[in-house]
Amino acid sequence: MKYALVTGGSRGIGRAVCLQLAEMGYPVIINYASNKEAALETQKLVEDKGVTAELLPFDVTSNEEVEQALDQWMENHPDDYIAILVNNAGIRQDAMMVFMEDSQWNNVLNTSLNGFFYVTRKLLKYMLSKRFGRIINMVSLSGLKGLPGQTNYSAAKAAVIGATKALAQEVGPRKVTVNAVAPGYIATDMTQDLDEATLKKMIPVGRFGTAEEVASLVGFLASEQAGYITGDVISINGGLYT
């Protein structure tokens, strides 16, 4: 059976993606680092759709935890494999670079970039051997245009964009696609500290996006119909490009 794994799947965009993939019929593995209560809520929402949902806690920044958790899952599912991987885990620790602490730089880079590397590397060989896989990396408008106060976040997401384009070329012959989704301002817990009233004036459609809108795009990229789309970065930002 083909499973879908969503890192950082307990809240926000991650939760919406879990629900979208469940609607497509995929059993969903919900990864989270610490917020078990939110993960349990997401699990119930997925199960309410009549689909299997499993919780798989691990810290994406720790290769040891990634290896241990996924090895255990594979041992418990000898006849299944993870065909859909959504690398959604990410954090913001904004600061002007002149004031940025080492920890703020490292934490953000480790979560988005190293997390992508550790999880994707572990699952890739199974997708290649099965000759089907969908890898969708959650990046950001920040990684495309850069945003002040987010040098760390912009660097992390830009790095994942580069990795997406390179990996797509490596695995395309085996019918594994690799794409990135670049949201702009989306109304989630991660953006609740932003000045929405001011920022939405800069957005041509005049509002923040929703997690469900992002999840719909992820769902299409995860589908069979998206087999000829790879190495691409698709923006979902209400027209906010510059």
Side-chain angles (χ1 to χ4, degrees):
M1 184 175 289
K2 295 176 181 175
Y3 275 73
L5 168 62
V6 181
T7 67
S10 64
R11 297 179 297 150
I13 291 174
R15 173 179 288 181
V17 169
C18 288
L19 295 176
Q20 174 67 41
L21 294 171
E23 288 180 2
M24 296 167 65
Y26 283 104
V28 179
I29 305 164
I30 304 160
N31 160 257
Y32 67 98
S34 58
N35 194 337
K36 185 174 183 179
E37 183 178 352
L40 286 168
E41 291 174 5
T42 303
Q43 182 181 33
K44 183 179 185 306
L45 291 169
V46 170
E47 291 175 341
D48 286 346
K49 294 183 178 295
V51 173
T52 298
E54 300 180 18
L55 300 187
L56 194 64
F58 60 83
D59 180 354
V60 298
T61 70
S62 167
N63 188 43
E64 182 178 341
E65 287 192 30
V66 170
E67 292 276 335
Q68 184 176 16
L70 291 175
D71 280 340
Q72 184 64 57
W73 186 88
M74 292 170 190
E75 184 178 324
N76 294 337
H77 297 79
D79 299 322
D80 306 318
Y81 85 106
I82 296 170
I84 312 295
L85 169 60
V86 182
N87 286 303
N88 174 71
I91 60 171
R92 278 179 48 221
Q93 293 187 354
D94 296 353
M96 301 300 284
M97 179 179 263
V98 68
F99 302 119
M100 189 174 288
E101 302 287 342
D102 288 359
S103 60
Q104 292 173 303
W105 176 266
N106 291 327
N107 291 343
V108 171
L109 266 290
N110 284 340
T111 304
S112 287
L113 184 57
N114 290 350
F116 152 80
F117 174 63
Y118 294 144
V119 179
T120 305
R121 180 180 60 176
K122 180 66 176 177
L123 299 178
L124 201 54
K125 62 183 177 182
Y126 302 98
M127 295 182 186
L128 294 172
S129 66
K130 298 287 187 180
R131 300 186 69 87
F132 178 85
R134 297 284 186 265
I135 299 168
I136 299 132
N137 301 318
M138 199 63 63
V139 291
S140 173
L141 174 68
S142 295
L144 291 170
K145 73 181 291 288
L147 290 175
Q150 291 193 336
T151 306
N152 49 1
Y153 193 70
S154 296
K157 296 304 187 180
V160 174
I161 288 170
T164 296
K165 292 176 178 291
L167 181 59
Q169 296 175 64
E170 294 179 10
V171 301
R174 289 277 180 168
K175 299 182 180 179
V176 177
T177 65
V178 190
N179 291 288
V181 171
Y185 292 110
I186 307 298
T188 66
D189 292 349
M190 201 170 182
T191 58
Q192 64 184 0
D193 62 322
L194 301 179
D195 183 356
E196 182 174 350
T198 299
L199 289 170
K200 71 182 182 182
K201 295 175 184 176
M202 302 162 50
I203 303 169
V205 302
R207 64 175 177 86
F208 276 21
T210 68
E212 290 74 22
E213 287 171 320
V214 178
S216 293
L217 175 55
V218 172
F220 174 69
L221 291 173
S223 71
E224 296 273 0
Q225 290 87 345
Y228 202 54
I229 302 173
T230 195
D232 208 351
V233 183
I234 303 177
S235 293
I236 178 164
N237 58 27
L240 182 62
Y241 288 95
T242 59

